[in-house]
Amino acid sequence: MITLPTPSTPEAIAALSEPEALSWLSGLADAAVNAVHPDSLLPAELPPAPAGRTVVVGAGKAAAAMAAALERAWLAQQPESPLTGLVVTRYGHGPQGQGPQGPQGEGRRIEVLEASHPMPDGLSEEAARRMLEAVEPLGEDDLVIALISGGGSALMSLPAPGITLADKQALNQALLRCGAPIREINTVRRHLSAIKGGRLATAAHPARVLTWLISDVPGDDPTLIASGPTLPDASSPANAVAILERHGIEIPDGVRRHLETADRAPAPGDSDFSRDRSRVLARASDALEAARVAAEASGIEVRVLGDDLEGEARDLGRAQARLALSSQSERERPLLLLSGGETSVTVRGDGRGGRNVEYLLGLFEALQGAPGIHALAIDTDGIDGSEDNAGALFAASDRARAECLGLDPDAFLSRNDAYTFFQALDRLIVTGPTRTNVNDFRAILILPRTP
């Protein structure tokens, strides 16, 4: 993104041209993402080296960057202490951005694997199996450091006995397409897995397990981040059955048999977890706070609408458009609306796009080109859905441009094709992988109407 020097007063912001206003919004997005990058997050003080071994495992879109930051700190503070391990991240999110056929990492002590997201593949299964193998021989004097971030559910995918990877892929796809919230999706994933829902920690015990997390889930419940591979699980297999049935998703015979007969995952209060500790290092609220501070340095008023907003993406966009319009009519100075969380998209068409561009198109359509209102929405991991963009942005005058180009927002929404809409306007934001992930960042800049 291109970042202009931050205007020093509200009057200067109100006087920005549309290109300058969009660059200002992009600068806020940069500040938000930088605030939650692993390089600035891992604790300055590492845990004391144990009497035995230290093994690092992890999964998620931020896992490679977390591993690199940990390794640097470890070598600086206690270079003589042994450190080994492996983490898995999405294709292209490793240290060198390598794809499935390229080198899998450059760490001296922590190996970086890459696998598929959002649909797991064979390398997702291999990564999970190798992590279990790495921790199973450990004893009471050993330490496991788990580096967990969003995306880990797909990247570390080992089916429970009697369930195939194809079963998990089909159910995962069905849950995504029907717009199920992430809490429900991850509940199902935990009960179909041989590694999630605390099972990785159970395999590591009696070693102590220290978990560091970057949260991508509304509410920041650690057990939901990457489906909680090292944390006990309060849900049951019956909850997973109820979720699938509520959404009308057909349950394969082998999956139903497993869910009806399997033992529940390790539960909270299990004594095996008594020495384990977990800490959320970054969350959506941290990204929003960084943007708020940067904006308020200019004297602009900021309203944070929430860091955990969920629901249908286009509906949230329309609701925030109504708020923006009513706010503009009441004021004479600029206002910035910020929000985060994770919306969902019910797929009805065959278009391209992720939840951030769908949200933005809903907002765009409802604003009807209202002058002085500009907006941006990105996924902080740099990938919106399964496309190559982080999100998009628009200026107020883009409504007239869209009409000149024959672009009907309603038609594009009807086929879930927001990517193509903003591509035609040259408003997609393409950053590449950011190697962090606290989900969505949304900003609406509302300038007062000129007489």
Side-chain angles (χ1 to χ4, degrees):
M1 299 180 189
I2 300 172
T3 306
L4 292 182
T6 302
S8 57
T9 66
E11 291 75 18
I13 293 175
L16 290 175
S17 67
E18 285 194 342
E20 290 171 337
L22 295 185
S23 291
W24 189 80
L25 284 173
S26 295
L28 292 182
D30 285 341
V33 171
N34 290 338
V36 294
H37 192 276
D39 285 350
S40 59
L41 294 178
L42 263 75
E45 295 185 9
L46 298 176
R53 293 169 289 177
T54 300
V55 176
V56 177
V57 293
K61 297 173 188 174
M66 294 174 80
L70 170 60
E71 186 168 318
R72 284 194 300 270
W74 191 275
L75 292 173
Q77 296 181 33
Q78 41 200 27
E80 302 306 318
S81 178
L83 180 75
T84 61
L86 70 158
V87 300
V88 61
T89 192
R90 181 176 177 164
Y91 294 134
H93 290 237
Q96 298 174 308
Q98 298 295 334
Q101 305 304 319
Q104 298 299 299
E106 57 184 10
R108 285 169 288 180
R109 300 194 183 186
I110 304 171
E111 183 181 1
V112 177
L113 309 174
E114 294 184 353
S116 176
H117 182 278
M119 295 300 294
D121 63 4
L123 292 180
S124 308
E125 189 170 358
E126 178 185 341
R129 184 173 288 108
R130 286 189 58 190
M131 283 183 213
L132 287 174
E133 292 171 350
V135 302
E136 282 172 342
L138 299 180
E140 190 171 345
D141 292 335
D142 299 320
L143 172 67
V144 173
I145 300 178
L147 306 175
I148 305 298
S149 65
S153 289
L155 295 166
M156 182 174 54
S157 187
L158 183 62
I163 298 174
T164 67
L165 182 60
D167 288 334
K168 293 195 69 173
Q169 290 170 328
L171 292 173
N172 189 55
Q173 182 69 19
L175 287 163
L176 289 171
R177 289 186 64 85
C178 76
I182 191 62
R183 179 179 297 272
E184 293 186 350
I185 294 173
N186 281 0
T187 296
V188 173
R189 286 166 164 170
R190 288 198 299 275
H191 293 289
L192 301 181
S193 176
I195 195 169
K196 301 182 180 75
R199 293 175 178 88
L200 177 59
T202 297
H205 294 151
R208 186 166 70 96
V209 180
L210 172 62
T211 303
W212 287 334
L213 306 107
I214 294 179
S215 174
D216 72 328
V217 297
D220 304 313
D221 181 347
T223 67
L224 295 181
I225 303 167
S227 302
T230 57
L231 300 169
D233 179 16
S235 68
S236 70
N239 297 137
V241 173
I243 289 167
L244 292 170
E245 291 180 341
R246 182 163 60 251
H247 289 287
I249 296 172
E250 183 177 353
I251 305 175
D253 291 342
V255 171
R256 184 178 291 277
R257 193 159 44 247
H258 168 77
L259 292 174
E260 291 176 348
T261 61
D263 295 333
R264 65 178 301 150
D270 189 319
S271 60
D272 287 347
F273 289 83
S274 61
R275 296 199 305 148
D276 295 355
R277 296 292 181 269
S278 65
R279 178 178 171 186
V280 178
L281 302 180
R283 46 185 65 80
S285 60
D286 299 316
L288 296 178
E289 176 66 8
R292 182 191 67 79
V293 169
E296 288 183 347
S298 303
I300 188 172
E301 181 184 346
V302 180
R303 293 183 196 168
V304 179
L305 304 179
D307 59 37
D308 58 354
L309 303 186
E310 298 181 87
E312 195 71 28
R314 66 179 67 185
D315 293 341
L316 181 64
R318 290 164 174 161
Q320 292 194 351
R322 293 191 293 271
L323 176 60
L325 290 168
S326 64
S327 298
Q328 187 184 48
S329 68
E330 300 167 354
R331 56 190 307 108
E332 298 178 354
R333 293 168 71 84
L335 173 67
L336 181 70
L337 304 179
L338 296 175
S339 65
E342 181 172 7
T343 59
S344 55
V345 174
T346 301
V347 179
R348 302 176 179 87
D350 59 356
R352 301 175 65 189
R355 61 180 182 266
N356 283 283
V357 289
E358 178 126 344
Y359 154 85
L360 203 69
L361 188 51
L363 177 73
F364 181 95
E365 180 266 338
L367 286 174
Q368 293 290 308
I373 301 180
H374 318 297
L376 172 151
I378 63 168
D379 193 325
T380 54
D381 68 2
I383 305 295
D384 188 24
S386 58
E387 300 295 343
D388 59 358
N389 64 314
L393 75 174
F394 67 77
S397 66
D398 285 336
R399 180 74 186 205
R401 290 180 58 220
E403 290 175 355
C404 288
L405 293 170
L407 304 174
D408 179 0
D410 287 331
F412 282 86
L413 274 174
S414 69
R415 58 179 183 268
N416 302 111
D417 202 16
Y419 178 100
T420 304
F421 181 88
F422 288 110
Q423 183 183 49
L425 290 175
D426 195 25
R427 293 303 195 193
L428 293 177
I429 297 173
V430 179
T431 64
T434 64
R435 294 169 177 80
T436 191
N437 183 21
V438 294
N439 261 328
D440 304 337
F441 173 83
R442 300 178 286 263
I444 304 172
L445 177 61
I446 304 168
L447 303 180
R449 287 182 179 269
T450 55

